Structure formats: structure tokens, C-alpha cells
Amino acid sequence: VNLPAYLGLVRRRVGDPEVVLYLHENQLSYPLGPQQQPDEALALVNWVSMVAADRILVNSEFHRRELFTELPKLLKRAPDHSHAHLLDSVAAKTEVLHVGVELSDISGPSDRSSGRHGRRSESDNAPLILWSHRWDHDKNPRAVFAALGKLAERKVPFRLALAGENER
């Protein structure tokens, strides 16, 4: 989202609330497809949105480090005033908020019957691996399924739930 543009459109109606920007991913390090070219305009939208936000939340420490490794490189390419002097203040208002999953309403294996006269199989207790991503290049499904294949070859028990979008 282009946060400064959005705020310019809504400030008269919403006043001046604290604005928190959550970056699940960013355009500075987003993996490009084979036919794609980088678009610095999108990376600059990320940057100006970060500057405009009161707080910035990212989904992992890896993502935070990646952002602040790539941002100085982007700002050095600016044709005039680089905004590099704002990096420290933007970094100071950036923190990690991991993507969470609320599990309190979900019963565990000990809470439900196996349906087999009270006896449970080993596979009922195997860890559940959830694939909930798109199957596009940036999510690297080949690497995920190669890893699952290695688990299967080693006879490591697991269950698999595939929920991600696959248009092919």
C-alpha cells in the first residue's frame, strides 16, 4: 500500500490516529519470476510507507535484517536527496511481530477419539505439516516437496495438509 497517498486521502475523515504498517514481505527483496524485471517504484513505495508510518511491524527477524540491508542500497541510487538520514529513525520504529495462529479452540490428538475402538495408530500422532502458500516460484514449492520427499525416504512420520492456491 502507498501509505502516504492513502493517508492523504483519508486524514480529513479519520483524523490522526497512530498508523501501524505491517510488512509481510517487501518489494526490495521479493523474488522475481523468470520473466520479471525489478521495479524500483514499488520498492520506493515500501520506503515512503515506512517513513510515513508511526510503527512498522515485520513478520520475522530475517525480514527485518533483509530490509535494512537492502534499503541503504536503494536510497544510494536516488538521483537527488537520498533520505538515507532517515534510516536510523525508521529502523528504531521497526519491530518483529510473528504471524500467529490461535490454537486454543482446536482439539489436540488426546481430545478426540481415533474411531478405532479407542486405539490410536502411530500416524495419528505424527506432526502435521501445513502448506498454505501459493504454489508460485517465490514460495519455492519444489524445495518444500523435495524436503518432504527426503522425510519420506528416511521414514520420518508426518501428515500433510495442502491448502495453498495452485492455478496450474
Side-chain angles (χ1 to χ4, degrees):
V1 66
N2 185 331
L3 187 56
Y6 176 76
L7 292 174
L9 294 170
V10 301
R11 285 279 190 200
R12 286 186 194 166
R13 293 195 172 127
V14 300
D16 192 23
E18 180 182 30
V19 176
V20 179
L21 176 67
Y22 182 78
L23 293 174
H24 177 70
E25 51 196 22
N26 70 77
Q27 297 299 318
L28 291 154
S29 58
Y30 192 83
L32 298 175
Q35 305 301 321
Q36 291 179 304
Q37 296 296 319
D39 185 346
E40 282 200 346
L42 297 173
L44 287 170
V45 167
N46 276 167
W47 169 246
V48 296
S49 295
M50 292 173 77
V51 171
D54 296 307
R55 290 178 59 208
I56 303 154
L57 303 174
V58 295
N59 64 348
S60 67
E61 181 59 28
F62 172 83
H63 187 189
R64 192 191 66 73
R65 280 193 313 270
E66 189 177 57
L67 261 174
F68 289 99
T69 297
E70 296 302 318
L71 278 169
K73 297 174 191 175
L74 172 72
L75 298 177
K76 281 183 183 177
R77 293 191 297 270
D80 49 22
H81 191 63
S82 79
H83 296 180
H85 66 283
L86 298 173
L87 277 167
D88 288 341
S89 64
V90 170
K93 62 183 178 178
T94 302
E95 56 193 283
V96 174
L97 177 65
H98 298 284
V99 177
V101 178
E102 177 57 52
L103 300 175
S104 63
D105 292 336
I106 300 173
S107 62
S110 62
D111 298 335
R112 61 178 182 253
S113 169
S114 67
R116 294 190 201 101
H117 308 290
R119 290 170 38 224
R120 302 177 59 77
S121 75
E122 245 182 70
S123 65
D124 288 338
N125 291 321
L128 174 65
I129 299 171
L130 169 64
W131 174 270
S132 61
H133 300 290
R134 293 176 280 108
W135 291 38
D136 293 319
H137 73 282
D138 61 307
K139 302 302 180 195
N140 202 355
R142 288 178 190 231
V144 171
F145 286 97
L148 292 172
K150 288 180 182 180
L151 289 175
E153 287 171 9
R154 294 178 184 169
K155 307 247 187 280
V156 174
F158 66 89
R159 295 173 297 140
L160 180 62
L162 297 176
E165 183 179 355
N166 183 0
E167 294 183 9
R168 289 176 288 291

